[in-house]
Amino acid sequence: MKLKAFLTTTVAAAVFGLAAQAQTVGFSQIGSESGWRAAETTLTKQQAEERGIDLKFSDAQQKQENQIAAIRSFIAQGVDAILLAPVVATGWDSVLEEAKEAEIPVILLDRQVDSSDDLYLTAVGSDLVHEGKVAGEWLANEVGDEPCRVVELQGTTGSSPAIDRKAGFEEGIKGHANIEIVRSQTGDFTRSMGKEVMESFLQAENGGQDICALYAHNDDMAVGAIQAIKEAGLKPGSDILIVSIDAVPDIFKAMADGEANATVELTPNMAGPAFDALKAFWDNGTAPEKFIQTESKLYTPADDPAGEYEKRKDLGY
Ligand code: AHR
């Protein structure tokens, strides 16, 4: 570069801050256990790109130790912030203290931890108990006074959505003595385990004849279970009611085909609100609320499932 051009660029950079580096954000993602998780990853990358943020992505393949190692590596690299979707709720104190010591703000995405909230800047997510409650209330309303034996597919053991969605559902059916959870087991939020565990439920429950409804902590497990129910010669959606959480395209497809009955939406765009909070924090030190809550909307076949499928099918799920 010629001297004059160099000086002009340097002065402009100094005056307008053009020389400032793009902010770097480390993202410790759980893995890719579900369609919802894949969409969250896609949207986080998109949101970062749109905002000129340099995103360092790390896939923990469902292991907390990988997440802890990734956070330590982000700290060593001196990132400007860390996004963490914590696979389980416990065991984060030390590494969050290390980030705090290094003055790197941490934002939790979609799941909660049991650490003190002064170890992170904010948490973006839904009210997970409420989601379960909405699902339970939907079922209570649907079956009325009819006896209903429910099987439950739980999420990853020790994760906040598994704990809270279970508690919320139980709250939703409270006072309805006709509704009983007869079997409950983890399906680890995956389609394959959802199918496998549902097969064992069907076997144990008179080939499925004794099951009135399935409550799955996410849609992927429900989709796997739907397959198992069909293979057992029953009709999901009518012989066995299906209620789950996430609102991924495939559950709308199942709903449009009469094979699923209700889902509670969890938006995969957790990164948008997280980056907005970080911008305000970086710009003028504004500390966000400790919890930035996203919406939880109930969808049933009355909500144009085929249209919902079309709207979502290309969004990275
Ligand atoms: O933490 C959110 C949950 O994790 C989603 O409901 C589920 O699909 C995912 O894997």
Side-chain angles (χ1 to χ4, degrees):
M1 191 189 289
K2 295 224 170 81
L3 182 64
K4 192 174 166 206
F6 171 76
L7 286 174
T8 311
T9 311
T10 309
V11 169
V15 172
F16 298 109
L18 297 178
Q21 296 271 304
Q23 305 280 14
T24 299
V25 174
F27 177 24
S28 171
Q29 176 60 295
I30 293 170
S32 51
E33 72 280 4
S34 63
W36 185 90
R37 183 71 50 203
E40 186 191 47
T41 296
T42 305
L43 282 166
T44 306
K45 289 178 177 172
Q46 271 172 14
Q47 291 281 336
E49 204 180 324
E50 277 167 26
R51 293 159 198 254
I53 289 171
D54 176 14
L55 190 77
K56 296 190 179 304
F57 179 77
S58 172
D59 177 339
Q61 301 189 337
Q62 319 301 125
K63 293 197 173 73
Q64 185 179 33
E65 64 262 35
N66 292 347
Q67 293 204 284
I68 292 173
I71 295 169
R72 292 203 166 118
S73 155
F74 294 148
I75 296 171
Q77 292 169 62
V79 297
D80 299 297
I82 293 171
L83 303 181
L84 166 65
V87 61
V88 289
T90 57
W92 299 100
D93 288 1
S94 306
V95 77
L96 291 178
E97 271 157 19
E98 289 165 39
K100 191 174 183 185
E101 189 93 339
E103 297 183 3
I104 298 174
V106 174
I107 297 192
L108 304 179
L109 296 190
D110 73 86
R111 295 188 185 182
Q112 296 284 349
V113 298
D114 73 350
S115 303
S116 157
D117 68 6
D118 50 49
L119 292 180
Y120 54 86
L121 183 66
T122 186
V124 183
S126 60
D127 179 337
L128 298 162
V129 174
H130 176 71
E131 288 173 347
K133 191 167 175 220
V134 169
E137 286 172 348
W138 173 84
L139 183 67
N141 190 47
E142 188 70 16
V143 300
D145 295 331
E146 290 297 310
C148 185
R149 291 165 58 84
V150 181
V151 295
E152 177 183 30
L153 283 167
Q154 295 182 38
T156 301
T157 305
S159 68
S160 64
I163 298 164
D164 291 350
R165 287 174 182 168
K166 177 163 189 46
F169 185 83
E170 284 166 4
E171 211 179 306
I173 59 170
K174 203 161 150 193
H176 298 269
N178 55 316
I179 304 176
E180 190 193 354
I181 301 174
V182 291
R183 295 189 185 265
S184 181
Q185 207 176 305
T186 182
D188 209 15
F189 281 131
T190 69
R191 209 171 272 216
S192 58
M193 266 190 79
K195 179 168 190 277
E196 200 179 305
V197 177
M198 189 69 203
E199 282 165 357
S200 70
F201 287 163
L202 290 162
Q203 246 177 29
E205 292 292 329
N206 192 19
Q209 305 290 334
D210 296 343
I211 301 173
C212 144
L214 162 72
Y215 166 48
H217 291 191
N218 81 347
D219 289 344
D220 274 70
M221 293 189 293
V223 170
I226 287 170
Q227 188 58 35
I229 294 167
K230 290 204 281 194
E231 285 172 17
L234 295 173
K235 287 199 183 99
S238 46
D239 291 335
I240 298 179
L241 299 173
I242 311 286
V243 54
S244 52
I245 293 170
D246 275 356
V248 304
D250 282 355
I251 205 73
F252 286 113
K253 202 166 206 257
M255 224 183 254
D257 293 343
E259 295 179 346
N261 309 86
T263 186
V264 185
E265 184 175 34
L266 175 69
T267 175
N269 183 16
M270 301 277 158
F275 288 142
D276 288 346
L278 273 175
K279 184 171 177 346
F281 183 69
W282 286 329
D283 285 354
N284 48 34
T286 307
E289 296 288 320
K290 280 290 166 183
F291 183 50
I292 300 172
Q293 194 178 328
T294 61
E295 255 190 279
S296 312
K297 180 176 165 1
L298 175 75
Y299 285 88
T300 68
D303 297 301
D304 182 22
E308 288 300 328
Y309 171 77
E310 284 302 318
K311 270 197 236 162
R312 290 155 203 260
K313 69 176 199 290
D314 298 321
L315 294 180
Y317 286 95

